Amino acid sequence: YSHSMGNSTGNIDEYWEAIDSTFGLQGGFIWDWADQGLLKEGADGKKHWAYGGDFGDHPNDRNFCLNGLLWPDRTPHPALHEVKFVYSPVKITLENGAVKVKNAYFFDTTEGLKFRWRIHGDGVELSSGILNLPRIDPQGAYDMALEASPWYDAYHSCDDAGEIFVTITAELSRSLRWAEAGHIVSSTQLQLPTPTPPLRRHMIFDGDDDGTLSLEDDENSITISDRSRLWEIKFNKEDGGGIEYWKVDGVDVMRSGFLPCFWRAPTDNDRGGESRSYFSQWTEAKLNDLKLITESFKVLQKSEKLVEVSAVHLLLPNNNGGESVVYFKAEFVYSISASGDVVLDCLIKPETATDVFRLLPGLPRVGIVFRLDESLNRIKWYGRGPFECYPDRRAAAHVGSYEGDVESLHVPYTMPGECGGRCDVRWATFEDGDGNGIYASVHGGSPPMQMNASRFGTAELERATHDEDLVKRDCIEVHLDHKHMGVGGDDSWSPCVHDKYLVPPLPYSFAIRFSPLSRPNSGHTLYKSQL
């Protein structure tokens, strides 16, 4: 019922909702437990995982033996977190103002488990402690009113948080033959209700009443900065009207941006199905080879503190000089304030009259792409993590504040493809060693984003056939997606992403706020200033 080939194992939580609630359903077998790769010495003298065809063997099934929850050396894939979550012997839900703890064991009580809790608001821990529960018999449950919970005081007194989550874990209280004491067998996160949903301001000036903007407009470019040159943004009129560079305190932080993006490096599941596969349908429509034409580019200085830049882009297949039809119209409006804040409002409109959209099953993604200087290698985010997750494989990934370097986001699947994504990201920062960089967050009523940052561009992840073949770029490619298609997982030989996780070619509008970042500011303080 699930095929874990590469970046896969999507929607398994929905199977387990049915298994847990339907008498007689017992589970199923995941194909497979471990990747069946073999070590082979490469040209660099190091040993790497090899698959069909790497030994001169013909015929072969290429990497179809690599469909496990683990690498061949038994290192877990990110999907194993999701499997562990749905297999958990403790099920915790929030129902009608009460926390319900169910013991899913058929023979064991919960006496051998120790429960802990931790509560945070907008990613900041408020309190934590031990959760003392009575013994719960096999297949039994215990209900605890929210007002009786040990975290209620912290929850009730936190009146300035837009979101509040409590995480409850169950760990072994003593060592067993299969695991040591402290091993976590269950981890569940519950979102607690907040009295008033936070509202986001349309534009942020950060109290910079004295700041004013400088605008330089010449034939080929437009440069906007504050008068003291603490930050500077240059738009290239000829190169699609995108950002040519963004400097913060004299440091180049952005190499290029922002451009609409609809393509992702295909996963094994994307390729499965031969001519019926998502990949075949996408490439036949040339979604992987779109050219951008700027229909219009305008600049309006609305005041000494606000400049508005608007660009309308047309995206059409690159037919090598032949006639093409427009696939998408992308309207981008940049509102740039003297504080350095940039609010990017995006409206993506597919030309639905085009025949191609009547045939396509959906789009890989709808979002923006930009490239940062390679020095901005430190990333922090508030969203789901800490491990890789996608819209149909995110039940185990808790919302929280995480950080690491960009390299740590990459997942070294033996056959490269789309990887390293993080779901439901509210804000993210990209910083160098001195704390200079870029802040990005959802804005207005836009939902959280799907984020990806990599030293390997999408084209490189598509080109390489082995992880060790990937060549790093001298920049960081960042994707912030309003919509991203699921990875699927029912099988890897037919296009079977569930309908709710497809991205139909419809009009989409979303807004993202960007800010120059320098110490002592942090992503959290900038995010809170929005609310």
Side-chain angles (χ1 to χ4, degrees):
Y1 76 116
S2 182
H3 195 259
S4 193
M5 187 175 181
N7 188 359
S8 183
T9 329
N11 51 253
I12 193 172
D13 60 319
E14 295 186 28
Y15 277 105
W16 276 85
E17 287 178 11
I19 291 166
D20 287 336
S21 61
T22 306
F23 181 78
L25 291 186
Q26 296 177 324
F29 294 95
I30 295 175
W31 185 354
D32 202 351
W33 172 237
D35 288 346
Q36 299 171 51
L38 299 175
L39 282 174
K40 183 175 183 291
E41 187 172 300
D44 57 0
K46 298 179 181 179
K47 291 185 176 181
H48 306 282
W49 298 121
Y51 52 78
D54 288 342
F55 301 90
D57 49 311
H58 298 284
N60 63 75
D61 272 341
R62 297 194 72 196
N63 65 321
F64 208 76
C65 54
L66 303 176
N67 41 42
L69 293 166
L70 315 173
W71 274 275
D73 63 357
R74 276 43 181 179
T75 301
H77 284 190
L80 191 63
H81 293 285
E82 194 84 349
V83 175
K84 177 180 178 178
F85 176 80
V86 298
Y87 284 4
S88 168
V90 178
K91 311 292 185 181
I92 303 176
T93 55
L94 182 62
E95 301 177 17
N96 301 319
V99 176
K100 178 183 285 292
V101 182
K102 180 181 178 181
N103 178 10
Y105 281 126
F106 280 89
F107 303 101
D108 288 342
T109 71
T110 57
E111 284 184 312
L113 300 177
K114 179 187 289 185
F115 292 85
R116 300 181 186 272
W117 60 271
R118 180 171 56 88
I119 186 171
H120 72 76
D122 294 334
V124 176
E125 184 170 316
L126 304 174
S127 188
S128 63
I130 301 294
L131 178 58
N132 294 311
L133 295 176
R135 187 186 79 169
I136 305 175
D137 291 332
Q139 292 292 293
Y142 174 76
D143 288 2
M144 177 179 60
L146 195 56
E147 292 82 357
S149 66
W151 59 80
Y152 184 75
D153 287 345
Y155 162 61
H156 187 66
S157 61
C158 184
D159 55 4
D160 66 338
E163 296 176 302
I164 301 176
F165 292 88
V166 62
T167 302
I168 303 171
T169 58
E171 62 186 54
L172 295 179
S173 58
R174 59 186 178 87
S175 295
L176 301 175
R177 285 184 297 174
W178 61 276
E180 299 294 325
H183 174 76
I184 294 176
V185 299
S186 170
S187 182
T188 304
Q189 187 177 72
L190 305 174
Q191 184 169 6
L192 303 179
T194 48
T196 305
L199 298 176
R200 295 187 179 94
R201 303 173 188 169
H202 178 67
M203 177 52 68
I204 309 297
F205 289 95
D206 291 341
D208 188 8
D209 295 332
D210 298 325
T212 56
L213 287 169
S214 171
L215 174 63
E216 299 175 14
D217 190 352
D218 60 35
E219 183 178 353
N220 300 319
S221 64
I222 290 176
T223 304
I224 303 169
S225 66
D226 68 326
R227 295 288 183 183
S228 56
R229 296 280 177 173
L230 292 175
W231 58 268
E232 181 180 328
I233 300 174
K234 183 177 182 179
F235 289 86
N236 189 322
K237 294 180 181 179
E238 296 183 332
D239 188 21
I243 292 178
E244 183 175 316
Y245 67 73
W246 189 341
K247 294 182 179 181
V248 178
D249 284 343
V251 177
D252 280 318
V253 294
M254 184 174 291
R255 297 278 192 86
S256 66
F258 304 99
L259 295 176
C261 186
F262 307 94
W263 182 248
R264 76 179 183 190
T267 65
D268 290 312
N269 289 349
D270 290 342
R271 295 179 184 273
E274 299 180 337
S275 62
R276 297 184 301 118
S277 71
Y278 295 119
F279 178 67
S280 294
Q281 294 179 73
W282 291 338
T283 52
E284 185 177 354
K286 293 198 172 183
L287 283 182
N288 61 329
D289 189 18
L290 297 179
K291 63 181 178 180
L292 182 145
I293 297 175
T294 301
E295 185 179 61
S296 65
F297 182 83
K298 300 176 182 178
V299 180
L300 175 63
Q301 181 148 9
K302 305 191 80 170
S303 72
E304 63 178 9
K305 297 178 181 295
L306 183 63
V307 170
E308 186 176 278
V309 178
S310 60
V312 177
H313 306 297
L314 304 178
L315 292 104
L316 53 163
N318 189 357
N319 284 337
N320 298 318
E323 185 176 349
S324 294
V325 294
V326 174
Y327 278 9
F328 304 94
K329 176 180 282 190
E331 300 176 4
F332 283 12
V333 177
Y334 305 79
S335 299
I336 305 172
S337 78
S339 63
D341 288 291
V342 178
V343 171
L344 173 59
D345 287 286
C346 305
L347 176 59
I348 306 294
K349 295 190 290 187
E351 296 295 332
T352 51
T354 304
D355 288 339
V356 67
F357 289 130
R358 286 196 285 269
L359 303 175
L360 280 180
L363 306 172
R365 66 182 356 137
V366 174
I368 62 169
V369 60
F370 54 98
R371 293 173 178 84
L372 301 176
D373 189 84
E374 61 183 332
S375 63
L376 272 65
N377 192 49
R378 194 70 185 163
I379 181 172
K380 301 176 183 178
W381 76 96
Y382 173 46
R384 292 192 183 273
F387 41 82
E388 173 193 82
C389 50
Y390 282 83
D392 56 353
R393 200 188 72 223
R394 61 178 182 172
H398 294 335
V399 175
S401 294
Y402 305 100
E403 62 179 286
D405 55 43
V406 169
E407 283 80 2
S408 69
L409 301 186
H410 176 71
V411 180
Y413 295 112
T414 305
M415 170 74 84
E418 166 65 33
C419 68
R422 299 299 189 272
C423 277
D424 297 334
V425 172
R426 283 75 164 158
W427 62 259
T429 61
F430 305 88
E431 306 174 31
D432 62 16
D434 296 322
N436 293 318
I438 290 291
Y439 163 90
S441 72
V442 292
H443 189 75
S446 296
M449 307 172 284
Q450 177 81 14
M451 178 190 71
N452 185 290
S454 176
R455 290 288 301 275
F456 309 114
T458 301
E460 181 63 13
L461 289 167
E462 182 179 350
R463 179 200 67 81
T465 57
H466 295 75
D467 183 72
E468 66 271 15
D469 297 335
L470 290 168
V471 178
K472 288 184 179 180
R473 305 186 61 174
D474 62 352
C475 62
I476 298 168
E477 183 172 296
V478 180
H479 290 266
L480 299 178
D481 296 330
H482 175 63
K483 294 287 184 180
H484 194 105
M485 192 180 95
V487 294
D490 292 355
D491 64 51
S492 298
W493 48 90
S494 66
C496 59
V497 172
H498 290 199
D499 287 349
K500 64 191 290 186
Y501 302 116
L502 294 175
V503 181
L506 300 172
Y508 295 102
S509 62
F510 57 96
I512 304 174
R513 175 200 179 192
F514 297 89
S515 299
L517 185 69
S518 58
R519 291 176 179 167
N521 282 333
S522 68
H524 177 73
T525 57
L526 288 173
Y527 181 70
K528 294 293 284 186
S529 74
Q530 284 183 270
L531 303 181

